[in-house]
Amino acid sequence: MARIAFVQCQVSQLDEPVYSRMYELDPHSVAVVYWNDYGFARQRIDPEIGIVPDLGEPGGRDYPKVWIDRSMAGAHRDILAAVLQFKPEIAVLSDQPQLARLRLAFALRRRGVRVVFRVDKNQLSERPRRGFALALERQVARGAFDALAPTSPLTSAYYAWPAARESVLFPYATNERKFAPPPEVRARKRAETRARGAIAPDAFVFVSATKFSSRESPWELVESYARIADIGNIHLLALGDGPLLPEIKRECARRGLDRVTFPGFVPFRDLQDYFFAADAYLHLVAVGPWEVSPQDALVAGLGLVTTETVGSASVFLRGALRRFLVPFGDRALSAARMRELAFDPNSAAWFEPARLATGDYTVDATARRWLEAFK
């Protein structure tokens, strides 16, 4: 038995630690039903980087879970049975196709299970609905589900979820044990990672984590950095892979940008080490409905420069910090903000209010919130 059953298609390195922490705190609190055609580990090649991403994360508890093959006949019947076998009070439906999710929601409600809609859609999405289509989407969500599990306040605003209806924040959570370890661990990893990348101990380091594809606009990153590359001991750690990487490397070499390091694709289990090696994070994308990496960077103690279309930054950067939200494509302003950070030794401390605002978006806060939900 499990009080809460989560149903999702995509295996997520961000959600799994939440389930693991819930199980650690209360073994009877959680079960997860995965509904896909590949099992518990991703097997498909990411078309933008040409590899199967290594998203494994060691150290978590093995929470109760089951896999249903959605490609098989009778998959809907099987998914319903899989959820009901845990005898949950609450089922949280995440990323299923809309019609399948609605069908499952009504079937569960007929059997006395409360159903919660977990969704990340918001007005910063690439294709949000508007007008009548948005009004209809809101009415469907309110009629089909007992409660909302938004990934952020932006989601609640998009659905205009009534204050009187139940809602439980279920973000793409940052694992604070991973990104905010004891200071001595961070200092050791910082020194080791800089030494491995031949980065000077006293350099100011910007880090980015992006796919080198046109969708994520890596040229904005390189061109913004190029504007400040020769004004001091400033280094760029550009994590990631993709079809544009060879061209970008050649262009950096041609222009003599010799303080740029391209480690390639970094497995998620190692990502925090590169954050610890840096001082500020760059995320200069055209569209970022939420984007968890700026949130991770804030939790890790970094400064931040990002575009105003990035949801997480728009939520966490308030007041004077909003100047670090720049219009997409404004390379001069991006470079000016980078320069501002690089030439003030206390710039990371400016972001303390934003770091405090991430407190509700950590794995531990999310796990405890679900344990308290609907009592």
Side-chain angles (χ1 to χ4, degrees), residues 296-343:
D296 294 340
L298 289 170
V299 173
L302 303 184
L304 178 63
V305 180
T306 185
T307 45
E308 58 192 11
T309 52
V310 171
S312 56
S314 72
V315 168
F316 297 134
L317 299 185
R318 296 295 184 182
L321 293 178
R322 293 196 72 80
R323 70 185 185 278
F324 295 103
L325 294 172
V326 300
F328 174 74
D330 193 337
R331 297 168 180 176
L333 185 56
S334 297
R337 294 295 176 250
M338 293 165 66
R339 186 183 300 111
E340 187 179 349
L341 294 181
F343 284 94

Side-chain angles (χ1 to χ4, degrees), residues 196-213:
R196 190 166 58 249
I199 300 172
D202 61 342
F204 190 96
V205 176
F206 290 98
V207 66
S208 70
T210 189
K211 292 178 180 177
F212 284 82
S213 66

Side-chain angles (χ1 to χ4, degrees), residues 5-342:
F6 294 89
V7 183
Q8 63 188 65
C9 298
Q10 195 70 278
V11 176
S12 169
Q13 75 273 21
L14 302 176
D15 295 338
E16 288 181 295
V18 174
Y19 306 143
S20 178
R21 193 72 57 84
M22 290 177 67
Y23 185 71
E24 177 184 320
L25 293 168
D26 179 358
H28 302 291
S29 65
V30 61
V32 183
V33 180
Y34 291 103
W35 191 17
N36 56 55
D37 60 1
Y38 59 82
F40 294 123
R42 297 191 191 185
Q43 299 174 358
R44 294 177 180 169
I45 292 175
D46 185 311
E48 291 182 308
I49 58 177
I51 63 173
V52 178
D54 182 354
L55 302 175
E57 190 71 66
R61 296 289 185 93
D62 192 17
Y63 51 85
K65 57 189 174 186
V66 64
W67 167 60
I68 301 299
D69 187 346
R70 68 175 302 153
S71 66
M72 300 295 288
H76 175 79
R77 178 195 63 233
D78 293 341
I79 193 74
L80 179 60
V83 176
L84 292 174
Q85 74 173 328
F86 291 110
K87 297 181 173 58
E89 300 171 23
I90 304 158
V92 183
L93 308 188
S94 186
D95 57 352
Q96 301 81 41
Q98 181 73 324
L99 290 178
R101 179 164 46 198
L102 290 173
R103 184 182 177 191
L104 181 58
F106 286 121
L108 287 168
R109 292 177 77 180
R110 284 197 300 270
R111 290 160 174 81
V113 179
R114 302 184 70 188
V115 181
V116 182
F117 182 27
R118 196 272 179 103
V119 62
D120 68 352
K121 197 163 186 179
N122 60 63
Q123 67 269 29
L124 296 177
S125 298
E126 194 168 0
R127 288 184 295 275
R129 291 189 173 95
R130 305 190 189 285
F132 175 76
L134 176 57
L136 180 61
E137 185 178 17
R138 288 170 170 170
Q139 287 304 116
V140 169
R142 294 173 189 173
F145 302 97
D146 297 295
L148 183 72
T151 56
S152 77
L154 300 175
T155 309
S156 298
Y158 177 87
Y159 281 94
W161 194 256
R165 297 284 301 276
E166 289 180 295
S167 178
V168 181
L169 179 65
F170 188 6
Y172 297 116
T174 295
N175 191 337
E176 72 288 350
R177 295 179 183 176
K178 175 185 177 73
F179 286 99
E184 60 273 16
V185 174
R186 179 188 174 103
R188 175 171 55 82
K189 291 293 186 181
R190 179 181 178 91
E192 291 173 354
T193 307
R194 286 196 174 208
R196 190 166 58 249
I199 300 172
D202 61 342
F204 190 96
V205 176
F206 290 98
V207 66
S208 70
T210 189
K211 292 178 180 177
F212 284 82
S213 66
S214 57
R215 184 179 62 83
E216 297 207 6
S217 310
W219 283 110
E220 296 300 316
L221 171 74
V222 173
E223 293 295 344
S224 298
Y225 170 75
R227 291 171 179 253
I228 65 167
D230 60 352
I231 61 174
N233 188 9
I234 301 172
H235 203 103
L236 174 63
L237 260 174
L239 315 181
D241 205 344
L244 292 178
L245 182 56
E247 181 184 355
I248 287 177
K249 283 184 173 181
R250 288 193 298 269
E251 180 63 11
C252 287
R254 186 188 70 79
R255 295 165 66 173
L257 299 175
D258 56 358
R259 288 195 294 269
V260 182
T261 301
F262 297 99
F265 175 79
V266 175
F268 186 67
R269 63 175 175 271
D270 298 328
L271 184 63
Q272 70 281 354
D273 293 353
Y274 291 88
F275 281 36
F276 299 155
D279 302 286
Y281 187 79
L282 302 177
H283 200 61
L284 306 178
V285 298
V287 178
W290 180 250
E291 305 296 278
V292 75
S293 56
Q295 172 184 303
D296 294 340
L298 289 170
V299 173
L302 303 184
L304 178 63
V305 180
T306 185
T307 45
E308 58 192 11
T309 52
V310 171
S312 56
S314 72
V315 168
F316 297 134
L317 299 185
R318 296 295 184 182
L321 293 178
R322 293 196 72 80
R323 70 185 185 278
F324 295 103
L325 294 172
V326 300
F328 174 74
D330 193 337
R331 297 168 180 176
L333 185 56
S334 297
R337 294 295 176 250
M338 293 165 66
R339 186 183 300 111
E340 187 179 349
L341 294 181

